[in-house]
Amino acid sequence: MKILILFAFILLVLAQWFVPGQMMIEKSKILSGGRALKFRTEPVDPYDQFRGKYIYLKFKESQVTRVNDTSNKSIDLNKDVYVSFKNDNEGFAKVDSFSNLPFPGKIPYVRANVYRESLDDSAKGTLEMLNITFPFEKFYMEESKAGPAEVIYRQRNRDSTSKVYALVYLLDGRAAIKDVYVNDTSISTLVKLQQK
Amino acid sequence: MNPSFLRELPNLIEEKIIDEETAQRIRNYYLNKPSQRSNILTSILTAAGALLAGLGIILIIAHNWDNLGSVTKTVFAFLPLILGQALCFYAITKKKGNRIWGEASAIFLFCAVGAVIALIGQIYHIDGTLEGFLLTWILLTLPLVYIVPSRLTALLCICCITWYASLNSDLYRSTRSDFWHYPVLMVLLAPFYYKEWKNNSSSNYFHFLNWFLVISILISVDSMSTGSSSKFPIYGATYLAILSLFYWVGKGKIWRDRNVFTNPFRIAGTLGILVILLWWSYEEIWRSNGNLFSFRTDTDETIWTNFRSLKYEALLYVSIIAFAVSAYLGIRNFFSENEKTFDPTGFTLIIWLIALMAGLPAGLFLINIWILYCGIYFVRKGALKENFGILNFGLIWIAILAICRFFDDSIPFVVRGLFFLLTGIAFFAGNYILIKSRKAKKSSPLA
């Protein structure tokens, strides 16, 4: 009996190591083998104040308006939805297409929650707005730095001369955020410079 | 040691109720008896200590020290886990049977597992959902209940499962595939509950466990919905079915001669049924919900179209099972206890469904009469058993109905006045007659 309990305990210990370990391995796999994309950010709601230990990222590509043709109707938003990306002229990620199945080959894509916001009847067809929740919207920082970082993030996003973006690696529908940059400088470096 | 009782001993000897020898034997008995109270206190303090220490470590590491590299941070994140696992290992191998060691180490490990998942998520910017986090935490710590074994971890798991279920209670989602998570997670604790029920059903812990269970189930009813029927008041039916089940379970043998506060099933069942009945005794509720389901509706949404949409609703099956079991318990209770009157409270669901089908105003009238009838049942039972508690509970039930109807404009003043008057008289008369009959029994030499 005692051996059985010990055996069960050892199994439990292994499981308790395996889960966080798996999270780390997965993350490093995406960072090493994934494709890097730059996601332009937008200012967050100003009333959405300091969140403590992370900055909440809002992306320009989180809202997509498009013509809802017959092929788009075949996407079932209650099932898993995959979003694929391509680069725009400036080298930032842009939503390319949606699918209920993973994309083949080397197309960068991610699994995300998508819902329809509104439908608008126009002469060309039906326009639909899709809201996408990406699995990389939180960027954790030390609690003394997350506050100033969020202020920088908000100010620079409103300033049209700065380019604020998150560097995200994508691999087989999974994503790992590397860092947040303002004009190619890491946001934590900016906070450090400001705090000096 | 029971000092207040021992202090009475000299008086008892003086009054010649006990002799000196008996008094000494009583003193020796209490002197040698291991004190249970101090044991419980030590357990509670140790458990609280372990919980606080665990939470403290989580907060310190959660600061996410920026100066440390992610490898160092990761090592620190795993430290509490290693410590917790080592403590549990020691408790299992060297301190087997020592409850304090088992509970404290298991609680610490419980916190440490939550901490390590959250911290790894933070260090590596893994953007998971709270639901996913809670589910992982529950599954990685629930086995501690059986392996260590730890009873307090079972309570913590019930809290986390309830939290997880409450996050799934989203009424606005059209289809839900995770409706089965809550019952399955709770079933994982069923063998533990059965063991406690068989071996420790008189312990304080068992009463706590029951309170946690009852509150958890009542909070989590929503999460078991598949969300395919928003209009039919299936929630009302499910709550009534579950509360009826609680009511009959609470009337079972195991709780009969115990303090009422150790019986959460009875308390939740009775009060819950009363609250739902009172809620439906208001005309406004019927105007906004009830008439939709009556046979006499002008729209296409008759009760049958609603029933058809219900076949995909998991709550329908939850209510059917809960009510079938509760009806069985209720009927068995009637025959085995040889009760003189049939207890109507636990069968409220049937009346409620009939009332819904009847619609306004008959259904509303039926609900009001039913509340009155349940109240009268308790009054009568109290009188027959000569129990002031039950008698006055019935009277309070009727009085609450009277107060609710006091503000009802549609009932004439005279009728309302008479109802109040009769309730008041019933309070006096009921208690007076009961006191008198008790006195008569005491003075009668045959009693």
Side-chain angles (χ1 to χ4, degrees), chain B residues 45 59 171 186 193 231 259 316 319 343 371 396 414 446:
Chain B
L45 289 176
L59 285 176
L171 296 177
M186 289 303 269
Y193 184 86
K231 284 183 176 152
N259 184 334
L316 176 72
S319 353
D343 186 345
I371 300 174
I396 288 170
V414 181
L446 288 172

Side-chain angles (χ1 to χ4, degrees), chain B residues 393-411:
Chain B
F393 177 73
L395 287 168
I396 288 170
W397 188 304
I398 298 170
I400 292 174
L401 178 67
I403 292 164
C404 288
R405 292 293 77 79
F406 184 78
F407 302 102
D408 204 332
D409 300 333
S410 58
I411 306 171

Side-chain angles (χ1 to χ4, degrees), chain B residues 283-321:
Chain B
E283 204 176 333
E284 293 79 31
I285 305 303
W286 284 80
R287 295 232 174 273
S288 56
N289 301 300
N291 257 4
L292 244 178
F293 315 104
S294 135
F295 280 126
R296 293 177 290 123
T297 168
D298 301 329
T299 62
D300 292 338
E301 284 174 303
T302 62
I303 193 156
W304 299 120
T305 51
N306 278 309
F307 262 128
R308 270 202 290 279
S309 74
L310 266 183
K311 66 183 171 202
Y312 301 110
E313 174 55 72
L315 281 183
L316 176 72
Y317 304 102
V318 173
S319 353
I320 290 173
I321 295 168

Side-chain angles (χ1 to χ4, degrees), chain B residues 71-309:
Chain B
V71 177
T72 327
K73 277 196 275 189
T74 311
V75 171
F76 275 109
F78 275 98
L79 272 184
L81 184 72
I82 299 169
L83 185 62
Q85 287 170 342
L87 287 172
C88 274
F89 183 76
Y90 185 70
I92 293 168
T93 51
K94 303 277 175 203
K95 295 276 180 187
K96 194 151 178 59
N98 186 328
R99 189 155 273 171
I100 295 171
W101 258 96
E103 295 295 353
S105 59
I107 290 176
F108 189 85
L109 183 54
F110 179 87
C111 293
V113 170
V116 77
I117 304 169
L119 292 173
I120 294 299
Q122 264 186 41
I123 297 167
Y124 293 90
H125 305 286
I126 296 163
D127 194 359
T129 58
L130 182 57
E131 288 95 317
F133 166 68
L134 283 172
L135 188 62
T136 318
W137 193 7
I138 294 163
L139 292 175
L140 285 181
T141 50
L142 198 140
L144 292 173
V145 173
Y146 299 99
I147 294 173
V148 176
S150 162
R151 300 153 101 196
L152 293 173
T153 308
L155 296 184
L156 290 174
C157 281
I158 293 179
C159 292
C160 281
I161 294 172
T162 314
W163 187 7
Y164 173 70
S166 72
L167 293 173
N168 283 342
S169 309
D170 179 5
L171 296 177
Y172 301 103
R173 237 155 59 186
S174 57
T175 49
R176 286 195 277 181
S177 53
D178 47 11
F179 62 92
W180 53 273
H181 285 194
Y182 177 75
V184 167
L185 286 173
M186 289 303 269
V187 162
L188 292 179
L189 285 171
F192 166 75
Y193 184 86
Y194 179 76
K195 207 181 103 206
E196 287 296 313
W197 176 48
K198 279 283 163 209
N199 303 333
N200 299 312
S201 69
S202 59
S203 69
N204 281 332
Y205 172 78
F206 186 63
H207 305 322
F208 263 111
L209 185 63
N210 282 318
W211 273 108
F212 273 66
L213 186 67
V214 164
I215 293 169
S216 168
I217 292 175
L218 290 179
I219 291 175
S220 311
V221 166
D222 267 8
S223 76
M224 288 183 272
S225 163
T226 24
S228 51
S229 65
S230 52
K231 284 183 176 152
F232 190 83
I234 183 73
Y235 290 101
T238 315
Y239 270 108
L240 272 176
I242 288 173
L243 290 167
S244 310
L245 182 61
F246 283 174
Y247 184 81
W248 292 118
V249 168
K251 273 191 114 176
K253 268 184 213 146
I254 159 171
W255 281 284
R256 188 153 311 144
D257 301 317
R258 294 210 191 130
N259 184 334
V260 68
F261 290 105
T262 63
N263 190 349
F265 296 104
R266 189 79 180 272
I267 294 178
T270 317
L271 292 182
I273 290 171
L274 176 64
V275 167
I276 292 182
L277 277 174
L278 286 172
W279 174 260
W280 282 90
S281 78
Y282 278 96
E283 204 176 333
E284 293 79 31
I285 305 303
W286 284 80
R287 295 232 174 273
S288 56
N289 301 300
N291 257 4
L292 244 178
F293 315 104
S294 135
F295 280 126
R296 293 177 290 123
T297 168
D298 301 329
T299 62
D300 292 338
E301 284 174 303
T302 62
I303 193 156
W304 299 120
T305 51
N306 278 309
F307 262 128
R308 270 202 290 279
S309 74

Side-chain angles (χ1 to χ4, degrees), chain A residues 1-192:
Chain A
M1 189 64 193
K2 198 174 172 181
I3 289 184
L4 207 68
I5 288 177
L6 264 181
F7 181 68
F9 181 69
I10 289 165
L11 276 185
L12 181 67
V13 165
L14 290 178
Q16 287 173 346
W17 278 83
F18 176 77
V19 171
Q22 176 69 18
M23 286 162 71
M24 286 158 52
I25 292 167
E26 173 113 352
K27 169 88 181 188
S28 57
K29 246 193 214 165
I30 301 170
L31 284 182
S32 59
R35 169 123 175 242
L37 285 178
K38 294 172 181 176
F39 284 80
R40 282 295 292 271
T41 56
E42 278 192 331
V44 286
D45 178 359
Y47 296 103
D48 226 346
Q49 282 296 329
F50 171 60
R51 282 155 193 273
K53 302 188 323 176
Y54 58 88
I55 36 178
Y56 172 67
L57 307 170
K58 193 168 185 295
F59 298 102
K60 284 203 182 351
E61 290 299 301
S62 292
Q63 263 187 353
V64 181
T65 310
R66 51 200 246 125
V67 178
N68 184 9
D69 59 28
T70 38
S71 65
N72 289 336
K73 273 182 188 156
S74 61
I75 304 164
D76 183 355
L77 296 184
N78 285 320
K79 289 185 186 156
D80 289 343
V81 179
Y82 298 90
V83 187
S84 73
F85 303 94
K86 58 183 178 190
N87 279 329
D88 65 5
N89 300 336
E90 289 181 275
F92 292 107
K94 198 171 161 49
V95 169
D96 188 25
S97 62
F98 297 87
S99 166
N100 282 127
L101 292 168
F103 289 88
K106 289 193 168 175
I107 303 169
Y109 68 96
V110 72
R111 208 174 98 176
N113 286 323
V114 182
Y115 67 95
R116 280 196 180 85
E117 178 127 299
S118 61
L119 289 165
D120 172 39
D121 286 318
S122 67
K124 291 175 191 167
T126 311
L127 277 181
E128 65 174 354
M129 184 156 40
L130 294 175
N131 264 327
I132 312 166
T133 313
F134 292 118
F136 44 83
E137 294 188 339
K138 284 177 195 164
F139 186 71
Y140 286 95
M141 297 185 83
E142 187 186 304
E143 55 185 340
S144 63
K145 293 193 175 121
E150 189 148 26
V151 174
I152 294 175
Y153 173 82
R154 203 176 296 145
Q155 284 168 349
R156 294 301 183 94
N157 263 309
R158 289 218 189 83
D159 169 13
S160 56
T161 55
S162 326
K163 279 187 178 140
V164 188
Y165 64 89
L167 186 65
V168 181
Y169 283 74
L170 303 182
L171 180 71
D172 301 332
R174 292 160 299 159
I177 185 164
K178 172 96 177 156
D179 208 343
V180 176
Y181 295 92
V182 179
N183 294 334
D184 300 329
T185 314
S186 162
I187 196 158
S188 37
T189 317
L190 284 177
V191 174
K192 271 183 203 153

